[in-house]
Amino acid sequence: MKISIYIFCIMLFIWFRGDIMKKKVSIFMFIDAFGWEIQKNHTFLEELLPYRYPAKMQFGYSCTAIPTILTGKTPVEHKHLSFYYYNPKESPFKMFKVLKFLPGFIFDRWRFRHLFSKAIKKMKGYTGYFELYAMPFDRLPYFDYIEKKDLFVPNGLAPTKNLADVLEEKKLNYHISNWRLTEDENIEALMSDIRKEELDFAFLYTAKLDGLLHSVTKDGSEIQAKLDWYAEKIKLLVAEVKKHYEDYSLFIMSDHGMTTLTHEVDVKKQIEDLGYKFGKDYVAAYDSTMVHFWFLNKECREPILKEAKKVPHSSLISEADKVRFGINYADNMYGDEILLMDAGTQIVPCDMGRNSLPGMHGFSPDHKDSDASFMGTEPLNTPPKWVGDFFRIMTEYMDK
Ligand SMILES: [Zn+2]
């Protein structure tokens, strides 16, 4: 008699527990720079995530790829390519016309620029990632800055719909990491939401691997240790999910890989030695791997392009490739022409920094080191070809 009551109580508990347990949660984790070549050459959760696919990088940087992943759209649609674009009329940096007279030995220091960036961000009410980098103060008034808003929250990429907009529309219970927090804090925040047993969908953001790859390259011995750290955290996360949900899907994605430094080229000097006046004849923004040119005096176009073609380890992006990469802006928002360095070659110095880094991304998506990766607990009917496809996969899983 006692045994039958005991069995009945257990069955009642299982039935009751099954009733209150959330049926399924879909978790998508973003690991910045965890490219295909990096995952291929390291060990990482092979048993848990056996389904693995390479995906073409979005041309540009993380500031391009993340909007693409969050919307499924190309840069020409969501407008984000580099941080700076030519727009003197609406530049938020007009005050820098005065600041350019301040002594460079203080105001060019990274620490000062970082603190100054924080002050500007607060003053202007920007909620996005904002950093002045090494952009010369006297050039800032020619530019506007694209990432003024937090990309991850509803309306973050308006008028383009982002991940949060779609989740809101579908009235799902979701968790999206706060990119300002540390990796540990973000993992703990997700754990805490998992324990509430209310989640339908989660997007976990982590970005420390990118910084590590920039400093030790994809072949650094530190990379496996960092991947092991992620693996341990993911195992704990999955154990927690299993306690609180009947079923789950887990996918890991990245935005690009990392290419080891092979050459440095001083493109800035080469162009400036021509003697044309910046802001009057032309404007140029020097990213780590590409130069954006705007020609104000049409007569300067050909001589500058002639010189650009002489820059070692580089080539001008053709109109056909602009279309292929989704950067064919009708208004040439990010340059009348773009000079792209060959994979491994960095522009030194550039507006992003004075020195090269051991590893860099932002080269051609055609180079194998640029490839992003996507891996999961289950196979996909239509595997991703390009990082923008991650958005389609995420929206498909919202309805599962
Ligand atoms: Zn990076």
Side-chain angles (χ1 to χ4, degrees), residues 312-326:
H313 314 291
S314 74
S315 56
L316 288 162
I317 297 182
S318 67
E319 289 308 309
D321 275 351
K322 282 184 190 172
V323 173
R324 194 160 66 90
F325 299 152

Side-chain angles (χ1 to χ4, degrees), residues 287-347:
D287 272 331
S288 309
T289 62
M290 64 184 91
V291 188
H292 309 258
F293 291 107
W294 293 265
F295 303 106
L296 310 181
N297 172 358
K298 298 299 167 209
E299 284 174 22
C300 303
R301 183 187 175 95
E302 282 318 309
I304 290 175
L305 289 182
K306 199 175 160 195
E307 191 60 31
K309 284 175 190 164
K310 290 186 204 161
V311 171
H313 314 291
S314 74
S315 56
L316 288 162
I317 297 182
S318 67
E319 289 308 309
D321 275 351
K322 282 184 190 172
V323 173
R324 194 160 66 90
F325 299 152
I327 56 165
N328 52 319
Y329 295 89
D331 60 356
N332 289 353
M333 181 175 173
Y334 289 96
D336 299 328
E337 296 288 346
I338 299 174
L339 182 74
L340 177 66
M341 297 296 114
D342 293 345
T345 300
Q346 293 176 35
I347 298 169

Side-chain angles (χ1 to χ4, degrees), residues 14-24 197 240-247:
I14 291 168
W15 174 79
F16 183 66
R17 184 87 190 132
D19 196 45
I20 58 164
M21 256 178 120
K22 193 86 185 171
K23 291 218 172 337
K24 183 173 180 182
E197 303 188 339
E240 203 62 29
V241 167
K242 284 180 173 171
K243 269 193 238 167
H244 299 278
Y245 295 80
E246 280 181 23
D247 193 11

Side-chain angles (χ1 to χ4, degrees), residues 115-373:
L115 290 171
F116 201 35
S117 302
K118 279 176 107 171
I120 293 170
K121 187 176 167 174
K122 199 165 179 201
M123 190 170 80
K124 301 274 183 190
Y126 297 158
T127 52
Y129 175 84
F130 179 77
E131 197 65 60
L132 286 169
Y133 291 100
M135 179 64 86
F137 281 1
D138 59 337
R139 295 188 175 183
L140 275 166
Y142 296 102
F143 296 103
D144 204 341
Y145 192 86
I146 193 72
E147 203 173 307
K148 291 175 183 146
K149 288 200 291 183
D150 184 344
L151 308 174
F152 293 85
V153 299
N155 290 315
L157 282 150
T160 310
K161 262 188 218 172
N162 70 7
L163 183 69
D165 293 321
V166 178
L167 287 159
E168 291 277 339
E169 268 179 16
K170 288 182 182 283
K171 297 192 175 12
L172 294 176
N173 288 316
Y174 68 91
H175 173 104
I176 296 181
S177 296
N178 177 351
W179 54 271
R180 300 166 192 85
L181 301 180
T182 65
E183 292 188 328
D184 271 315
E185 286 169 337
N186 268 325
I187 292 165
E188 193 38 58
L190 175 56
M191 287 275 210
S192 161
D193 272 0
I194 283 169
R195 287 185 202 111
K196 290 179 193 157
E197 303 188 339
E198 289 169 356
L199 279 185
D200 297 304
F201 183 97
F203 185 92
L204 172 61
Y205 174 87
T206 61
K208 278 276 178 208
L209 182 67
D210 178 69
L212 185 62
L213 284 160
H214 276 298
S215 59
V216 304
T217 80
K218 66 186 167 72
D219 303 312
S221 56
E222 298 86 346
I223 302 304
Q224 185 62 59
K226 182 64 183 165
L227 293 178
D228 292 345
W229 183 87
Y230 283 123
E232 283 312 306
K233 296 286 178 185
I234 292 163
K235 281 181 194 165
L236 292 172
L237 195 75
V238 168
E240 203 62 29
V241 167
K242 284 180 173 171
K243 269 193 238 167
H244 299 278
Y245 295 80
E246 280 181 23
D247 193 11
Y248 76 99
S249 299
L250 171 69
F251 296 97
I252 302 221
M253 66 177 91
S254 60
D255 46 353
H256 51 71
M258 193 66 68
T259 308
T260 304
L261 174 71
T262 54
H263 302 89
E264 294 181 2
V265 182
D266 190 350
V267 188
K268 211 172 204 175
K269 183 177 185 310
Q270 204 172 324
I271 297 299
E272 289 178 3
D273 280 353
L274 291 172
Y276 293 115
K277 207 165 165 17
F278 191 100
K280 192 163 171 277
D281 295 325
Y282 77 105
V283 161
Y286 298 87
D287 272 331
S288 309
T289 62
M290 64 184 91
V291 188
H292 309 258
F293 291 107
W294 293 265
F295 303 106
L296 310 181
N297 172 358
K298 298 299 167 209
E299 284 174 22
C300 303
R301 183 187 175 95
E302 282 318 309
I304 290 175
L305 289 182
K306 199 175 160 195
E307 191 60 31
K309 284 175 190 164
K310 290 186 204 161
V311 171
H313 314 291
S314 74
S315 56
L316 288 162
I317 297 182
S318 67
E319 289 308 309
D321 275 351
K322 282 184 190 172
V323 173
R324 194 160 66 90
F325 299 152
I327 56 165
N328 52 319
Y329 295 89
D331 60 356
N332 289 353
M333 181 175 173
Y334 289 96
D336 299 328
E337 296 288 346
I338 299 174
L339 182 74
L340 177 66
M341 297 296 114
D342 293 345
T345 300
Q346 293 176 35
I347 298 169
V348 183
C350 74
D351 296 336
M352 297 289 114
R354 289 190 197 166
N355 303 309
S356 62
L357 291 174
M360 186 50 73
H361 49 90
F363 299 105
S364 170
D366 297 333
H367 192 269
K368 66 180 174 67
D369 283 343
S370 295
D371 284 348
S373 56

